[in-house]
Amino acid sequence: MKILVVGSGGREHTIVWKLKQSPLADKIYCAPGNAGISELAECVPIGAMEFDKLISFAKENAIDYTVIGMDDPLAGGIVDAFEKEGLKVFGPRQNAAILESSKAFSKDLMKKYNIPTASYEVFDDYEAAKEYLQKQSMPIVLKADGLALGKGVLICKTLEEAEQALKEMMKEHKFGSAGNKIVIEEFLEGPEVSILSFCDGKTIIPMVSAQDHKRAFDNDKGLNTGGMGTFSPSKFYTEEMAKKCMETIFQPTVDAMIKENRKFVGIIYFGLMYTKNGMKVIEYNARFGDPETQVILPRLKTDLLEIMLACTNGTLDEINIEWYDNAAVCVILASGGYPVSYEKGYTITGLEEIAKKENTIVFHSGTAKKDGKFITSGGRVLGITGIGNTIEEAIQTAYEGVKIVDFDKKHFRTDIGKKEY
Ligand code: AMP
Ligand code: GLY
């Protein structure tokens, strides 16, 4: 088969790396891809939002199957656009991708179908939201309704902070139109776990658990980022919790989407929090997580392409998905200053040496090639995944890799995988 993967980050590098192992995959293209991906697939310079160009490319090159990695094109209806042209594609249609692209939708869905989540109200009127805030206890959480590059969630400790945040979102349009509608929700506490799952519309199969480290610095200090590192499995997510989540969260979500005439085919990512009142959904994403994918897919034994095709064909109940009984840790190497401002264009060294190391995989996020050399081209540059029998072994392997790869202003956390819970 000829495959096209749409996206350009570490997640897409990992998806391409795993698809490449499939005996069914003869040739893989990636649009637009990055320098690391270009070692495995043919990168084509078409942006993820250029649907017409992507469709023309798929037709001209007889692409058999397109895999969408990113959230924006899914929310924009790329799957509908491909299907309309008779092209086979992996991912949810626009009316199902709304599970991620509208927090108001997902909160209302959870309320309607009794899926456990923080209590909340939705507002599109500033004055009404302000009045509501004044009656709430603090801390409180404000969320922009739409996609906001993972930055549209503000946790406010005082009423003053909350009023300021509300003003920025609804009056000053800090998150653009994503903040025209907002969700104000109860602040919850507890350890968080990411459970990604394959879904064919009716059957849902969860993947192995993962946890991420979102803050820029050690001990969860500094700003929220797209993710500074991940590990799998999670330390506190037990078989028993998994069973309970299947009954109260996973299957009910899929069934609710059917009832709403929004059949979900693709990846549902459940962001969960284990509160004193049990597991609750913090957020849904309609795609693989980044950098969760970098620790999950290396643990997958079964052919990813076969699983994706089963999702698209509605036959997920017919396949058995197997995982390695091991652990993985991914440490992100970022450009100093990320997530605020950072410099790009520095030469990356050590990539040839690390490629010889066992149980270590390098996934590129923001790299480019200049004069045959890899250079930094983004905030998150590389993810170094270490595999081991235990998390401790995986941590050691990942950090040995971290020492080998270098570039100016390299920044990483030294405590990935070391969360107590
Ligand atoms: P989200 O973009 O929805 O994943 O939110 C980003 C992060 O904000 C989550 O991973 C949580 O750590 C935090 N968060 C979101 N909602 C809540 C909440 N209701 N209570 C406490 N923390 C939250
Ligand atoms: N790592 C969080 C996300 O992909 O949304």
Side-chain angles (χ1 to χ4, degrees):
M1 288 179 82
K2 286 166 98 178
I3 318 280
L4 169 65
V5 175
V6 177
S8 60
R11 164 184 47 214
E12 286 76 22
H13 191 179
T14 317
I15 292 171
V16 166
W17 170 84
K18 189 68 195 168
L19 288 176
K20 184 99 177 162
Q21 296 166 16
S22 170
L24 301 172
D26 299 311
K27 165 116 195 166
I28 304 180
Y29 297 89
C30 187
N34 64 36
I37 295 174
S38 72
E39 307 264 286
L40 301 175
E42 186 174 329
C43 290
V44 285
I46 307 177
M49 294 307 286
E50 297 181 292
F51 298 177
D52 290 343
K53 284 192 193 165
L54 289 170
I55 286 169
S56 301
F57 178 85
K59 284 184 175 169
E60 281 158 21
N61 293 277
I63 299 295
D64 297 294
Y65 196 41
T66 300
V67 174
I68 313 299
M70 296 167 71
D71 45 2
D72 284 336
L74 291 170
I78 193 170
V79 169
D80 310 62
F82 268 68
E83 284 180 349
K84 209 165 129 207
E85 298 295 324
L87 295 164
K88 201 162 177 160
V89 56
F90 178 82
R93 291 184 186 149
Q94 189 171 31
N95 75 352
I98 191 171
L99 198 56
E100 170 170 6
S101 61
S102 168
K103 295 210 190 275
F105 170 84
S106 66
K107 295 296 292 187
D108 288 347
L109 185 89
M110 287 186 268
K111 190 192 264 179
K112 184 168 172 189
Y113 293 94
N114 285 317
I115 296 166
T117 190
S119 61
Y120 73 101
E121 289 290 332
V122 179
F123 295 92
D124 52 18
D125 178 69
Y126 171 73
E127 293 301 332
K130 194 171 161 191
E131 202 174 305
Y132 175 81
L133 269 185
Q134 281 156 358
K135 288 183 238 131
Q136 303 308 307
S137 55
M138 299 294 136
I140 193 123
V141 184
L142 269 61
K143 298 186 171 183
D145 175 56
L147 295 179
L149 295 168
K151 294 185 186 128
V153 175
L154 298 171
I155 296 171
C156 306
K157 293 197 187 76
T158 63
L159 180 62
E160 292 68 45
E161 251 182 66
E163 285 181 339
Q164 179 62 27
L166 183 71
K167 206 159 106 196
E168 286 173 9
M169 276 184 171
M170 297 194 86
K171 288 243 153 181
E172 294 159 13
H173 307 287
K174 189 172 172 186
F175 303 111
S177 59
N180 289 350
K181 200 191 262 187
I182 65 155
V183 172
I184 300 182
E185 89 176 21
E186 169 199 12
F187 174 78
L188 298 176
E189 279 175 291
E192 292 182 58
V193 58
S194 307
I195 304 297
L196 281 60
S197 63
F198 295 106
C199 193
D200 72 353
K202 51 186 197 305
T203 299
I204 179 163
I205 304 184
M207 303 183 209
V208 287
S209 62
Q211 276 179 248
D212 72 349
H213 299 254
K214 286 201 168 104
R215 302 289 187 134
F217 300 110
D218 283 8
N219 300 314
D220 289 336
K221 297 277 189 301
L223 292 174
N224 254 329
T225 69
M228 291 300 295
T230 40
F231 58 96
S232 172
S234 157
K235 290 175 189 169
F236 73 90
Y237 188 74
T238 59
E239 288 280 326
E240 202 181 318
M241 285 183 201
K243 192 163 171 276
K244 184 102 194 278
C245 286
M246 192 62 171
E247 286 159 13
T248 59
I249 296 173
F250 306 153
Q251 194 66 52
T253 299
V254 175
D255 295 347
M257 291 299 275
I258 294 174
K259 291 206 187 88
E260 297 294 311
N261 273 321
R262 295 173 182 273
K263 190 173 81 150
F264 192 104
V265 177
I267 305 294
I268 305 183
Y269 165 139
F270 298 85
L272 304 175
M273 190 185 275
Y274 190 53
T275 73
K276 60 182 190 306
N277 297 316
M279 201 70 91
K280 300 210 176 183
V281 178
I282 291 288
E283 64 160 344
Y284 289 117
N285 291 318
R287 44 147 182 101
F288 276 103
D290 191 343
E292 285 86 346
T293 311
Q294 288 89 314
V295 289
I296 292 173
L297 290 187
R299 301 189 57 210
L300 177 63
K301 209 187 264 185
T302 310
D303 182 346
L304 176 64
L305 184 52
E306 223 176 277
I307 303 173
M308 287 179 159
L309 288 166
C311 289
T312 307
N313 296 336
T315 55
L316 197 55
D317 58 337
E318 292 171 18
I319 63 170
N320 180 29
I321 300 181
E322 290 185 284
W323 301 90
Y324 294 108
D325 184 16
N326 59 5
V329 168
C330 174
V331 180
I332 295 292
L333 304 186
S335 303
Y338 171 76
V340 184
S341 66
Y342 49 84
E343 291 160 23
K344 307 184 214 178
Y346 294 115
T347 302
I348 304 168
T349 57
L351 290 173
E352 275 178 27
E353 192 185 336
I354 199 173
K356 295 183 206 138
K357 224 172 136 347
E358 258 181 71
N359 296 324
T360 310
I361 318 161
V362 177
F363 294 115
H364 293 230
S365 299
T367 66
K369 253 187 174 169
K370 197 177 157 198
D371 305 328
K373 284 190 183 143
F374 287 98
I375 58 167
T376 66
S377 74
R380 288 191 291 179
V381 178
L382 300 163
I384 314 280
T385 296
I387 315 281
N389 289 317
T390 61
I391 290 280
E392 288 67 30
E393 260 184 48
I395 291 174
Q396 197 183 339
T397 306
Y399 278 104
E400 279 167 15
V402 166
K403 279 191 229 148
I404 297 173
V405 179
D406 204 17
F407 51 86
D408 268 6
K409 312 247 166 70
K410 175 173 94 169
H411 165 65
F412 59 92
R413 279 181 59 159
T414 66
D415 60 351
I416 303 301
K418 292 178 189 158
K419 278 189 195 186
E420 280 308 309
Y421 44 77

